[in-house]
Amino acid sequence: MDLVGVAEIRDMLGGISRQRVSIIANSKGFPDPVAVLAMGKVWRRRDVARWIAEHRPDQAD
């Protein structure tokens, strides 16, 4: 399972701020995290990539 945290999502979204990533990740419609660890939430990369392709196609890989 390929997991990502806020730092990786930031890179996937073209280097936006960590604060902006946190706002997006907590918004309605963003994939639910698969776990919450001491370092923060983690998501499946494929779920986040799908969300980016659907909601921010100009930032998709």
Side-chain angles (χ1 to χ4, degrees):
M1 182 182 321
D2 194 9
L3 300 176
V4 295
V6 171
E8 292 82 13
I9 294 171
R10 180 178 181 260
D11 292 341
M12 293 170 74
L13 287 169
I16 65 174
S17 72
R18 290 179 63 85
Q19 181 179 10
R20 183 70 184 134
V21 171
S22 293
I23 291 168
I24 291 169
N26 288 309
S27 67
K28 184 177 178 183
F30 196 80
D32 291 331
V34 294
V36 179
L37 308 174
M39 57 71 66
K41 298 175 183 177
V42 291
W43 294 262
R44 286 184 189 92
R45 181 180 296 276
R46 69 173 187 250
D47 294 342
V48 174
R50 187 178 309 123
W51 184 91
I52 292 170
E54 187 175 317
H55 294 89
R56 301 190 184 248
D58 58 315
Q59 296 173 314
D61 292 340

